[in-house]
Amino acid sequence: MQRYLDACVRADLNKKMVILTGPRQVGKTTLSRQLLSEFKDAQYFNYDVPEHRAVLENRTWNKKSTLLVFDEIHKMRQWKPWLKGVFDGRTDGQSLLVTGSARMDTFRQSGESLAGRYYKLRLHPISVREWCEQTGAAPEDALSHLLQRGGFPEPCLADTDEEAARWRAEYFSDLVREDVLEFSRLQEITTMRLFAELLRSRVGSPLSLASMGRDLAISPGTLKKYLDILEALFIVFTVRPWHRNIARATLQAPKVYFYDTGLVKGDDGVRFENFMACSLLKHVEWQQDALGKEAGLHYIRTKDGAEVDFALSHGDTLTDLVECKLSDAKPHRALLRFAGEWPQARASQVLRGLSHAMDVGPLQIREAAGWLMELSA
């Protein structure tokens, strides 16, 4: 299956090294292997494979290769200066593609900077727009399928719902058991698993680490570290409240969502909100990575409890206000209020089911499938 980043990766490889990150099993290796056939003498190396590791450490790959793909290279000690040396010493016409499932800029690495040598791209799960473009499905059918299966390629393309469910159970277990060891200690895995399990039922609500810490008998500081690890492994992502002062926004409670909507525990409304969050994050990070825009994803909540699910920004200006509903077409009171406070922002009430689009004052009330098709990726 072709992915939405294919053309961008090809174009960027002609200019700089490309660092491609994203959740495990989101399709990075498949994308990389598909590119191999397009380059002369291309080679793929995974640091987790002992034979490949020896080649990487000794730099004994084919010097005439026009494409080198390095997977999970962040697990190498001092990988940044090593990669800088490889890039600076590569032969003419040789392209480098580096992939990894953990956020490569979060690892506490010292040494040389890679500044100016790479383009960063983040691969996301399949969205409504991508599924429609690749399969020819109608937007409504695409949305139903993705809400059922999630956007990761293997369960999305599975023959049956049972196969998808088996994949997901193993995926979540392996993520917590194996990948956490890259960041943490063996004895923390049980606690980390319990924390991740609790997060599955707290999607879409402002997260109180102090409250969860009391429930788990763990300090909020430790839970903050665990949350950082889950983010670094692309298991969850956080959406923080909108505020022009970044420091103030950081101090306020984030909302947590899962990259895999299938992991969410909750009713249809919660799962729909999580899918919307994933779609908006993909839209925003495409704008950041491929277009160089200063885009952001937030939510809005005031001290008196008024809240809108999502807000999109460009620089210090709000561009969109988005409220998610399953079927309630009654204009959302907080969305109306904030649309008046930020008249430059498009205010959209997005419904899972809606017979026809409506405009009520400044509000655009739209059906989700069609609205999602308009996003960038």
Side-chain angles (χ1 to χ4, degrees):
M1 179 181 179
Q2 297 296 309
R3 295 305 306 276
Y4 71 105
L5 282 182
D6 285 357
C8 192
V9 171
R10 290 189 188 93
D12 286 351
L13 282 172
N14 291 326
K15 304 168 188 174
K16 296 184 181 183
M17 170 170 47
V18 172
I19 296 182
L20 179 67
T21 59
R24 188 171 296 280
Q25 296 188 41
V26 78
K28 300 181 302 296
T29 300
T30 299
L31 186 156
S32 302
R33 290 189 177 280
Q34 289 174 344
L35 283 174
L36 294 177
S37 62
E38 302 177 17
F39 290 79
K40 182 179 179 181
D41 299 321
Q43 292 182 287
Y44 170 88
F45 300 101
N46 187 323
Y47 193 74
D48 286 334
V49 179
E51 299 81 27
H52 291 190
R53 189 181 309 135
V55 173
L56 292 168
E57 291 175 345
N58 297 312
R59 305 191 188 192
T60 54
W61 53 76
N62 182 0
K63 298 303 185 290
K64 295 182 179 180
S65 174
T66 57
L67 174 65
L68 296 175
V69 179
F70 300 148
D71 197 3
E72 302 295 332
I73 199 66
H74 61 269
K75 296 177 183 178
M76 176 189 289
R77 191 170 180 270
Q78 295 294 315
W79 66 272
K80 284 185 179 180
W82 180 90
L83 190 56
K84 175 181 179 293
V86 170
F87 180 79
D88 291 347
R90 74 195 191 285
T91 57
D92 290 341
Q94 189 172 71
S95 298
L96 297 182
L97 174 60
V98 181
T99 68
S101 56
R103 295 185 192 275
M104 301 180 75
D105 56 352
T106 64
F107 284 81
R108 295 184 295 271
Q109 296 283 345
S110 60
E112 300 286 349
S113 170
L114 296 173
R117 293 172 171 84
Y118 70 96
Y119 285 122
K120 177 182 71 175
L121 295 172
R122 289 165 285 190
L123 186 64
H124 282 261
I126 299 166
S127 59
V128 167
R129 176 171 176 172
E130 189 177 4
W131 186 253
C132 290
E133 290 177 347
Q134 293 298 320
T135 67
E140 175 58 34
D141 293 337
L143 179 56
S144 296
H145 182 79
L146 293 169
L147 283 171
Q148 174 68 29
R149 296 287 190 86
F152 282 66
E154 188 168 341
C156 193
L157 297 168
D159 292 332
T160 66
D161 291 341
E162 289 74 19
E163 289 180 31
R166 292 177 64 186
W167 174 90
R168 181 160 290 107
E170 183 178 355
Y171 177 78
F172 184 69
S173 176
D174 287 349
L175 276 175
V176 176
R177 183 177 63 247
E178 298 175 7
D179 289 0
V180 164
L181 291 178
E182 294 182 20
F183 290 84
S184 196
R185 297 185 297 271
L186 182 63
Q187 58 266 33
E188 291 183 300
I189 288 182
T190 300
T191 308
M192 181 78 75
R193 184 192 302 276
L194 179 58
F195 178 55
E197 190 66 37
L198 288 177
L199 288 178
R200 296 175 68 183
S201 59
R202 284 168 167 77
V203 165
S205 299
L207 187 65
S208 172
L209 294 179
S211 175
M212 293 187 72
R214 288 191 292 270
D215 293 341
L216 296 171
I218 300 172
S219 72
T222 298
L223 290 185
K224 174 62 169 63
K225 184 188 76 169
Y226 288 172
L227 182 61
D228 290 342
I229 292 173
L230 293 175
E231 284 193 85
L233 292 171
F234 291 96
I235 299 173
V236 303
F237 61 93
T238 57
V239 175
R240 295 191 176 276
W242 162 256
H243 200 284
R244 287 187 175 88
N245 185 319
I246 299 300
R248 282 189 60 185
T250 302
L251 290 173
Q252 296 182 51
K255 296 200 294 186
V256 175
Y257 298 94
F258 281 78
Y259 282 93
D260 181 8
T261 296
L263 290 174
V264 175
K265 288 186 174 180
D267 57 24
D268 290 344
V270 174
R271 290 171 57 84
F272 176 54
E273 181 178 337
N274 192 93
F275 184 79
M276 287 288 295
C278 291
S279 301
L280 290 170
L281 182 68
K282 183 176 182 177
H283 166 76
V284 164
E285 292 191 346
W286 165 262
Q287 291 184 319
Q288 294 171 350
D289 295 350
L291 305 179
K293 292 186 176 182
E294 193 179 347
L297 173 62
H298 326 269
Y299 76 95
I300 297 179
R301 182 182 177 88
T302 59
K303 292 181 179 180
D304 60 5
E307 181 176 336
V308 167
D309 292 328
F310 303 108
L312 301 181
S313 67
H314 184 270
D316 61 358
T317 302
L318 284 182
T319 61
D320 288 87
L321 301 165
V322 184
E323 178 68 19
C324 308
K325 298 288 186 182
L326 278 180
S327 58
D328 184 4
K330 180 182 178 181
H332 183 63
R333 181 176 300 178
L335 184 59
L336 277 171
R337 169 182 164 180
F338 296 141
E341 293 182 14
W342 289 286
Q344 80 285 353
R346 179 181 66 163
S348 302
Q349 187 163 322
V350 183
L351 276 64
R352 173 67 182 89
L354 181 68
S355 59
H356 62 278
M358 297 181 289
D359 291 337
V360 180
L363 268 57
Q364 299 179 3
I365 302 178
R366 298 290 186 267
E367 192 272 329
W371 191 88
L372 289 167
M373 280 291 293
E374 298 179 4
L375 298 181
S376 298

